[in-house]
Amino acid sequence: MNAARTLRTAALAALPVLTVAHAAPVISTFGPLRNRLMPRLAGHGRPDHVALTFDDGPDPRSTPHFLHLLAERRVHATFFLLGSEAHRSSGLVREIAAAGHEVAVHGWLHRPLLLRGPRATHDDFRRARDTVAAITGRQPTLFRPPYGVMSTAAHLAARRLDLTPVLWTCWGEDWTARATPHSVHRTVTADLDGGGTILLHDSDCTSAPGAWRSALGALPRILDTCQEGGYGVGPLRDHG
């Protein structure tokens, strides 16, 4: 009885320490700190290049519009796909890959990793990775966590599954109802630099309805701004 009580007391005492350890990587969510101290996680690449990335797809209502625009501009990008959405729209996933874009994973479901334990985190990543691999015939190597929030369990699961986490250096805040093409362009370019990684969304499955239109409307101006700055634009695989 005394031994059981001692073990229970020790477990309760250790719980805050384990919680802090699990949540410690959340510090990388703070963009300025991440950009300065964690360049690889932030997606810093060679200074003459900008990586263009999209989250939350594929979505048959919106993703084809992005693919058409990118084809017109002869630009490739990295698409971080949700496994559950990829499963529903496997033909669209194949279309993304056939167009020469890089396919990466955004997890199976868009849920905060801080609320998941090690087993659930690993299973979510593995399911998304394997689903995308089965559709495209190529195993993805890049991963971006939902909301950009990592946990210790996420880092460990990514390592075991040969997935490299990549966040971003600038985003468009294109998921809100108030976003416009002008606001998305302004927000992206405020932090845009050579070697940076841009985050936009080609789906509104976790955003305000129709929010993807603000990113689509801003994309030509963003590409023009990169060109004016002398930056090539492409997927993370070409980022250096």
Side-chain angles (χ1 to χ4, degrees):
M1 186 70 174
N2 288 339
R5 183 176 301 157
T6 300
L7 287 173
R8 191 161 51 244
T9 301
L12 289 173
L15 187 59
V17 176
L18 294 175
T19 301
V20 170
H22 176 66
V26 77
I27 193 172
S28 65
T29 308
F30 183 55
L33 180 66
R34 178 176 73 245
N35 291 341
R36 187 178 305 113
L37 301 180
M38 310 170 196
R40 184 177 182 186
L41 181 62
H44 279 287
R46 66 178 200 266
D48 63 340
H49 190 263
V50 167
L52 178 63
T53 70
F54 296 94
D55 282 9
D56 292 359
D59 188 331
R61 300 169 302 167
S62 52
T63 303
H65 295 286
F66 288 87
L67 295 178
H68 179 71
L69 194 157
L70 291 170
E72 283 190 333
R73 298 294 296 256
R74 298 184 181 181
V75 170
H76 292 121
T78 300
F79 286 81
F80 286 92
L81 306 181
L82 288 169
S84 55
E85 299 301 316
H87 179 69
R88 292 190 189 100
S89 303
S90 58
L92 185 52
V93 176
R94 285 189 285 270
E95 185 179 342
I96 293 170
H101 301 291
E102 183 176 30
V103 178
V105 293
H106 198 32
W108 180 259
L109 296 174
H110 203 282
R111 293 178 181 171
L113 296 179
L114 288 178
L115 303 181
R116 295 182 175 193
R119 174 65 64 85
T121 299
H122 180 274
D123 290 349
D124 180 273
F125 291 10
R126 180 193 51 76
R127 190 179 184 188
R129 183 201 64 176
D130 292 352
T131 296
V132 170
I135 294 171
T136 64
R138 177 175 296 181
Q139 186 163 297
T141 60
L142 300 180
F143 163 76
R144 178 173 286 160
Y147 308 105
V149 177
M150 291 293 288
S151 66
T152 297
H155 277 292
L156 293 174
R159 179 173 294 182
R160 288 175 61 191
L161 294 168
D162 293 324
L163 293 170
T164 299
V166 183
L167 300 183
W168 58 85
T169 64
C170 55
W171 60 8
E173 295 185 0
D174 54 343
W175 58 86
T176 68
R178 65 178 182 276
T180 66
H182 176 73
S183 73
V184 172
H185 174 265
R186 183 184 66 245
T187 306
V188 166
T189 55
D191 295 317
L192 182 63
D193 243 331
T197 292
I198 298 172
L199 163 62
L200 296 173
H201 295 79
D202 64 306
S203 167
D204 61 10
C205 71
T206 63
S207 307
W212 60 268
R213 297 181 186 276
S214 64
L216 183 68
L219 187 53
R221 291 188 61 198
I222 291 172
L223 295 176
D224 289 343
T225 300
C226 291
Q227 186 176 25
E228 291 162 5
Y231 307 136
V233 179
L236 283 161
R237 68 175 175 235
D238 298 337
H239 204 35

